[in-house]
């Protein structure tokens, strides 16, 4: 008989929570969502967050709205006895929530945004010392394209890493709404680097197996003066092995959606992974094929809710619990990425390079 998990959703006013809830619903054979939590009691009767990603369901499903609601997390934990929690809280509030859940023996999936608990030292300690599993929603790690590239790099196809570049641009602040909580510095801690750039920071460190050890950044707020976070940022950086890289992120498109890529250039070959999952390998060349280029695309499995990546994250956490292993993206991985985010913000503020000293976690490359 398979194990069933009692789950709660902590945080009902999040840009992605409707998608995550529908994804949990895909696991009805393993997961029972037994309660909802939000510190704001008014959320009990609302069927949607204040702002919703236009690519996700725009309201909660009816089955979720029927779940008991509480604005007291301690009481909810005592009464609901959850085995698993999805945490979609604002960054400022997330740390204490995840710590309390971990200390109660509850496994956690946390949307990776900004300063959520796995990025804070106390959160990581709480998860490790209580033996619970903590999975961070670095969704790209769970895509077939990125896992394929990770496996090829682990086999040595790239050679010595020489340089790296990453770029992602997406819909502007006016399109997303200046009142959107993702643009509230007090609640979220930062702008596009926190919200989206952290994905590529994690990818670069994961794929290369090296920490970023130096950054120099420049940021600006251009598309809307109504927000107090950056909507554009460029970061130069150096990896531990010496390779130099650059990243650029911007809320700068006059439409919904985004585009971008990550590329790693090595001594044997070069690889570029588009945000859609398309891969281009260049080299290694030979006398018979001096211009070797290999391209591939991954079949995208269309699933409701937070998509195939979201379902993979939930499945990965359940498997990690059942086999007592780490999830593919852990709190330590998120901590490593946030250190780079913080260093970039410091550099942009002082106009000088910032050096990082990290206890980098490189396990799981090529998984």
């Amino acid at each position: 008989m398979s194990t069933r998990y009692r789950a709660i959703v902590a945080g009902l006013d999040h840009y992605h929570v409707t998608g995550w809830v529908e994804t949990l619903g895909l696991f009805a054979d393993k997961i029972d969502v037994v309660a909802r939590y939000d510190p704001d009691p008014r959320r009990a009767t609302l069927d949607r967050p204040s702002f919703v990603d236009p690519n996700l369901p725009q309201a909660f499903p009816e089955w979720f709205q029927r779940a008991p609601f509480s604005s007291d997390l301690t009481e909810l934990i005592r009464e609901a006895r959850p085995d698993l929690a999805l945490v979609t809280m604002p960054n400022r509030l997330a740390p204490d929530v995840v710590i309390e859940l971990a200390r109660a023996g509850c496994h956690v999936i946390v949307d990776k945004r900004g300063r959520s608990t796995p990025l804070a030292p106390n959160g990581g300690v709480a998860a490790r010392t209580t033996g619970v599993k903590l999975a961070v929603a670095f969704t790209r790690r769970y895509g077939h394209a990125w896992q394929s590239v990770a496996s090829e790099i682990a086999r040595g196809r790239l050679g010595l890493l020489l340089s790296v570049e990453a770029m992602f641009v997406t819909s502007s602040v006016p399109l997303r709404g200046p009142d959107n909580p993702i643009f509230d510095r007090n609640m979220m801690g930062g702008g596009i680097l926190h919200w989206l750039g952290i994905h590529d920071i994690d990818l670069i460190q994961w794929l290369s197996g090296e920490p970023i050890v130096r950054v120099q950044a420049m940021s600006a707020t251009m598309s809307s003066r109504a927000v107090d976070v950056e909507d554009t940022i460029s970061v130069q950086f150096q990896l531990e092995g010496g390779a130099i890289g650059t990243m650029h992120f911007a809320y700068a498109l006059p439409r919904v959606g985004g585009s971008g890529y990550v590329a790693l250039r090595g001594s044997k070959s070069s690889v570029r992974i588009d945000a859609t999952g398309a891969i281009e390998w260049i080299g290694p060349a030979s006398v018979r094929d001096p211009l070797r280029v290999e391209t591939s695309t991954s079949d995208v499995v269309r699933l409701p809710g937070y998509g195939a990546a979201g379902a993979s994250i939930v499945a990965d956490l359940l498997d990690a619990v059942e086999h007592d292993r780490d999830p593919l993206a852990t709190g330590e991985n998120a901590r490593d990425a946030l250190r780079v985010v913080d260093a970039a913000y410091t550099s942009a503020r002082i106009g000088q390079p910032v050096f990082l000293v990290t206890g980098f976690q490189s396990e799981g490359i090529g998984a």
Side-chain angles (χ1 to χ4, degrees), residues 17 50 73 83 99 168-169 223 236 240 277 285 295 306 319 358:
V17 64
S50 302
L73 182 61
D83 308 301
I99 289 171
F168 191 80
V169 294
S223 66
Q236 290 183 303
E240 187 176 55
T295 60
Y306 210 55
D319 187 75
T358 69

Side-chain angles (χ1 to χ4, degrees), residues 316-327:
D316 181 50
L317 178 66
L318 297 181
D319 187 75
V321 171
E322 292 169 7
H323 294 90
D324 192 23
R325 62 167 178 84
D326 280 344

Side-chain angles (χ1 to χ4, degrees), residues 174-326:
L175 277 177
R176 290 169 179 256
D179 294 333
N180 192 318
I182 66 174
F183 303 129
D184 184 335
R185 182 178 296 278
N186 179 55
M187 295 298 289
M188 306 305 287
I192 192 167
L193 191 64
H194 254 162
W195 189 248
L196 294 173
I198 198 169
H199 276 297
D200 287 345
I201 291 170
D202 174 66
L203 275 181
I204 289 166
Q205 296 192 128
W206 177 54
L207 292 173
S208 69
E210 300 178 18
I212 291 173
V213 296
R214 181 174 66 165
V215 300
Q216 185 155 8
M218 183 180 297
S219 66
T221 303
M222 297 298 295
S223 66
S224 175
R225 302 298 181 183
V227 301
D228 63 353
V229 296
E230 88 285 352
D231 62 10
T232 306
I233 189 165
S234 290
V235 184
Q236 290 183 303
F237 62 91
Q238 186 170 34
L239 288 156
E240 187 176 55
I244 299 295
T246 184
M247 296 181 277
H248 181 81
F249 307 106
Y251 291 121
L253 291 182
R255 61 163 172 80
V256 173
S259 62
Y261 70 94
V262 173
L264 294 89
R265 317 299 186 180
S267 59
K268 293 182 180 178
S269 62
S270 169
V271 64
R272 182 185 188 276
I273 316 106
D274 188 88
T276 64
I279 303 169
E280 179 187 72
W281 283 96
I282 301 174
S286 67
V287 174
R288 302 180 71 177
D289 188 6
L291 301 177
R292 179 179 176 186
V293 176
E294 177 185 315
T295 60
S296 63
T297 57
S298 296
D299 291 333
V300 178
V301 178
R302 303 292 180 185
L303 291 176
Y306 210 55
S312 295
I313 292 167
V314 175
D316 181 50
L317 178 66
L318 297 181
D319 187 75
V321 171
E322 292 169 7
H323 294 90
D324 192 23
R325 62 167 178 84
D326 280 344

